[in-house]
């Protein structure tokens, strides 16, 4: 009997052990703050999981260890292009009938192989016309953007992807009850991708390339890579590829690439959020476990890079402001010296108290300077960059940067800087724990760069043990004349090529068609997640500190970090000197401490401060480790009250402001922003409400110090988020916050009123680039009306809400007119602000008229689709069900509600009314609020390249100079 019992006991014990082994078939690391589980499936697929139950959502990344460096040399840009094609569907979705569609797709593939090898322009045009014709016929069977419809159906947010040198990563933020549907969809597209909609997507990718041509920083980066890596693909090719290769693609090469690299032993699934890891890994095994690995995964072969014996010098021309960049080559991110390189980067520049911060930026030796390590898989780089002051050469700027490297090599820095850097890094790591995307992104970084998770977890401890001598030795061994330097000078780049738009027949959108796969996902039953809306009385605290200051309070129960914010309802609209005064404050010390000592002390406390003057509000923030909050407040308050004048600093700052203004006029985005501001407000705009050069030059230190020293005298409120109790917070405020007994009311706001748009007009501002930026703005003067919030939200979701919305489908998917396009009716943030309808598109010059016509068509005659509306409605409702406003966001949400005279969370009304809303409601709203509007059209581009005759149909043309839109 005992023997039988013993045998039964062993059997039960064996079963238990087997069960434990099954549930523990993962790696974990003691002391890991993420409590990560790392699985490796039998087919080689890596799965990284970390649980964060704060909100019922999950951030997912699917990372593939392949990128621009793996592109075939004859078809560069392929990895990035294929990233786009991964959204086109499979044999199961994205098509009505794959069997009928496939012969046409095969013919398109064969024609592109002929096209890319044909040099005669007439023959190429004929081939492209045939490709376009067959693509049009194939589009009758395709269902564009059905992947995005699937994501909408399951309530995903942030649908996206990105490609780098070493990786391609696919991004989704999903509700926690949709893991199985997500896995089913992803497993299908990663195993059975079908390339369709090829030539319109090709135009999208090419538009992205066009955008890069006016990004001088990208040009500099590519030249740095070419100099440091003459043998490695990092330097011999670029992620976006060449214009020639993009216009001569190979679908055959892309298919081979997909089969070779998109395999489980080259992939990782990285997830952070609210889930049961045992259930999630079982689901992933079910759907991804059958993927077949590639046992012959190619190994990237490249010759070792030659030693650099003397500086490699290169030059780049571009329209933006001049700057200089230096870079040194280092081993990859998984090397034993990775932590040392990170630490060196922080000691040189940390934005607060590094050598560059204190010796260059604080001393105003350059207009700006920074440095950082760029960690990659096969090699890494350490980069430095500087913008010169007025009258300074790039060569002089380079020498100033190198002087800081020499100080590092000589050990001319305090050893306490190392400890402070480690403490600030700890603070940074704590902040990363709060975000699902940051948590999961650490997994991506580890997988792509081949870093063991135990080494990732141990990196902070390893960093904390580094000595000053190690840093000095490391710097002397690695920072020699073995660098590359790129001088980015101002001028027209002769290498930019103008490419004419191809003739593209808009493809069928088939909005009311869906695949059986989509219908199955839509019909699937998941346990619903109930929405949670804010109750301000319960979800936050309100109290009063001394002098009657209102305090909004939310306790941080996640970590030891705090943020305290003083909010003043006044800004640069009332006093345009305020912005300059705040800028000046950052260079000053007190009667007891130098400016450098203040920066160093904040850094030692692992705290920082900022003062941000907006047009209507000033925000003063102090944040960092809670244990040091009192000291940080005291330090900041002493600076605010006791800042000492420094006339020479002010004179330097005036020159730098004028130089920065000059630089801004060279930047495409800055020009476009000023143009749209001009269109909205006219010449009397917030953007132009700045000190003139004469007013600036006449400023005296006391003019500025009076603004900052008196700031606390004005009425304000305080927002606190941190681990202290409300009583403790009030006690610290009462002790450290220096305010008078009676606060001064804030001055009346000088209101900048957006102009009405009673008639159409066209504004053109000059910028010499291959791609133009266009916007249209319509203001009929309607003020805030809370009753339209639900239907307005639904309209924006349906019309311009994302990749599945009308705007994206028509402007990018159907017509290949742009990389990015958007439109919608913006809601006012305050009671006195109007509703404004905005559109935006960036495209080639010769696509402008087509883009304007297309926008005009879809805005006024909005395409109607019951299927598209249902998807938009489901997506909106699912997002509301799973959205959680938490932490300090509760305080900001409450502040926004106050601005609109609201006392409750208006999402609750949206959720209730959206459930019964119909497409007819949206159509009625569109006809009343959108259709027939008149617009101010804004176009930033080279007038010589524009179709002015076509533009005149949209309204009288006004040409604006840069001086007019910038106000100086």
């Amino acid at each position: 009997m005992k023997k039988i019992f013993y045998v039964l006991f062993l059997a039960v014990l064996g079963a238990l052990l087997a069960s434990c082994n099954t549930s523990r078939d993962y790696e974990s690391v003691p002391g890991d703050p993420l409590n990560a589980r790392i699985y490796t499936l039998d087919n080689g697929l890596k799965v990284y999981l970390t649980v964060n139950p704060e909100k019922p959502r999950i951030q997912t990344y699917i990372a593939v260890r392949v990128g621009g460096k793996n592109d075939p040399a004859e078809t560069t840009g392929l990895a990035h292009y294929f990233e786009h094609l991964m959204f086109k569907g499979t044999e199961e979705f994205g098509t009505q009938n794959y069997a009928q569609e496939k012969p046409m797709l095969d013919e398109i593939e064969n024609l592109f192989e002929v096209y890319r090898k044909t040099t005669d322009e007439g023959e190429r045009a004929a081939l492209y016309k045939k490709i376009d014709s067959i693509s049009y016929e194939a589009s009758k069977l395709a269902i564009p953007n059905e992947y995005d419809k699937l994501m909408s159906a399951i309530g995903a947010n942030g649908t996206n992807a990105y490609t780098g040198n070493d990786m391609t990563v696919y991004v989704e933020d999903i509700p926690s009850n949709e893991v199985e549907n997500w896995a089913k969809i992803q497993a299908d597209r990663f195993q059975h991708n079908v390339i369709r909609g090829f030539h319109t997507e090709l135009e999208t990718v090419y538009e992205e390339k066009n955008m890069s041509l006016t990004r001088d920083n990208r040009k500099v980066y590519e030249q740095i890579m070419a100099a440091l890596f003459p043998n490695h693909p990092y330097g011999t090719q670029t992620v976006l590829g060449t214009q020639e290769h993009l216009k001569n693609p190979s679908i055959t090469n892309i298919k081979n690439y997909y089969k070779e690299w998109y395999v489980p032993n080259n992939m990782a699934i990285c997830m952070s959020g609210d889930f049961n890891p045992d259930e999630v890994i079982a689901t992933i095994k079910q759907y991804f476990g059958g993927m077949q690995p590639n046992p012959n995964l190619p190994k990237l072969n490249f010759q070792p890079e030659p030693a650099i014996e003397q500086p490699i010098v290169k030059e780049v021309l571009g329209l933006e402001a001049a700057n200089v960049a230096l870079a040194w080559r280092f081993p990859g991110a998984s090397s034993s010296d990775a932590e040392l390189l990170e630490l060196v980067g922080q000691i040189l520049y940390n934005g607060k108290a590094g050598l560059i911060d204190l010796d260059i930026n604080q001393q105003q030796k350059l207009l700006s300077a920074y440095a950082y390590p760029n960690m990659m898989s096969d090699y890494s780089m350490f980069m430095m960059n500087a913008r010169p002051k007025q009258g300074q050469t790039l060569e002089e700027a380079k020498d100033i940067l190198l002087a800081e490297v020499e100080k590092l090599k000589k050990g001319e820095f305090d050893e306490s800087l190392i400890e402070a850097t480690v403490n600030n890094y700890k603070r940074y790591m704590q902040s990363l724990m709060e975000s699902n995307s940051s948590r999961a992104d650490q997994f991506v970084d580890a997988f792509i760069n081949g870093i063991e998770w135990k080494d990732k977890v141990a990196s902070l401890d390893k960093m904390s043990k580094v000595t000053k001598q190690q840093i000095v030795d490391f710097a002397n061994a690695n920072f020699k004349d073995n660098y590359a330097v790129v001088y980015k000078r101002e001028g027209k780049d002769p290498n930019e090529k103008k490419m004419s738009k191809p003739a593209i027949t808009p493809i069928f959108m088939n909005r009311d068609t869906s695949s059986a796969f989509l219908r199955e996902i839509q019909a699937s039953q998941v346990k619903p997640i109930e929405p949670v809306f804010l109750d301000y009385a319960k979800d936050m605290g309100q109290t009063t500190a001394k002098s009657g200051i209102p305090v909004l309070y939310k306790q941080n129960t996640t970590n030891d970090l705090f943020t305290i914010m003083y909010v003043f309802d006044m800004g640069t609209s009332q006093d345009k000197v305020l912005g300059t005064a705040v800028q000046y404050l950052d260079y000053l010390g007190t009667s007891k401490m130098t400016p450098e000592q203040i920066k160093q002390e904040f850094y030692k406390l692992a705290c920082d401060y900022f003062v941000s003057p907006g047009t209507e509000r000033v925000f003063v923030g102090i944040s960092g480790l809670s244990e040091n909050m009192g000291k940080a407040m005291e330090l900041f308050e002493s600076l605010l009250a006791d800042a000492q004048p420094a006339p020479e600093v002010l004179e330097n700052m005036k020159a730098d402001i004028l130089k920065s203004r000059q630089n801004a006029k060279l930047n495409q985005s800055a020009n476009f922003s000023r143009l749209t501001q001009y269109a909205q407000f006219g010449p009397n705009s917030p953007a132009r409400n700045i000190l003139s050069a004469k007013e600036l030059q006449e400023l005296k230190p006391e003019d500025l110090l009076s603004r900052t020293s008196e700031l606390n005298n004005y009425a304000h409120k305080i927002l606190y988020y941190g681990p202290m109790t409300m009583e403790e917070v009030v006690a610290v405020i009462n002790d450290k916050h220096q305010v008078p007994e009676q606060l001064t009311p804030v001055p009346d706001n000088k209101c900048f009123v957006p102009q009405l748009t009673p008639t159409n007009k066209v504004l053109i501002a000059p910028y010499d680039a291959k791609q133009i930026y266009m916007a249209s703005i319509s203001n009929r003067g309607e003020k805030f009306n809370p009753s339209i919030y639900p239907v307005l939200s639904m309209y924006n979701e349906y019309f311009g809400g994302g990749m599945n919305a009308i705007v994206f489908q028509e402007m990018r998917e159907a017509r290949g007119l742009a990389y990015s396009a958007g439109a919608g009716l913006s809601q006012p943030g305050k009671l006195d602000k109007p509703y404004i309808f905005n559109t935006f598109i960036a495209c080639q010059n010769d696509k402008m008229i087509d883009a304007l016509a297309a926008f005009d068509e879809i805005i006024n005659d909005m395409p109607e689709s019951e299927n598209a509306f249902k998807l938009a409605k489901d997506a909106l409702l699912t997002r509301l069900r799973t959205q959680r406003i938490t932490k300090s966001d509760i305080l900001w949400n409450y502040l926004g509600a106050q601005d609109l005279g609201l006392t409750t969370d208006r999402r609750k009304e949206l959720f209730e009314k959206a459930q019964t809303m119909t497409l007819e409601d949206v159509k009625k709203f569109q006809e009343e609020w959108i259709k027939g509007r008149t617009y101010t059209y804004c176009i930033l581009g080279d007038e010589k390249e524009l179709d002015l005759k076509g533009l005149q149909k949209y309204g009288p043309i006004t040409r604006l100079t840069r001086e007019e839109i910038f106000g100086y």
Side-chain angles (χ1 to χ4, degrees), residues 669-690:
S669 295
N671 274 265
F672 188 64
S673 174
R674 292 304 184 103
L675 174 59
T676 55
Q677 281 272 304
Y678 191 98
Q680 189 169 330
F681 292 95
N684 187 32
S685 75
R688 286 169 47 101
N689 182 42
I690 59 174

Side-chain angles (χ1 to χ4, degrees), residues 85 88-91 98 101 105 192-196 258:
L85 297 171
K88 298 302 180 182
T90 67
E91 297 174 17
Y98 180 63
E101 182 190 26
L105 297 181
H192 307 297
N193 171 267
V194 170
I195 294 174
R196 55 172 64 92
Y258 169 60

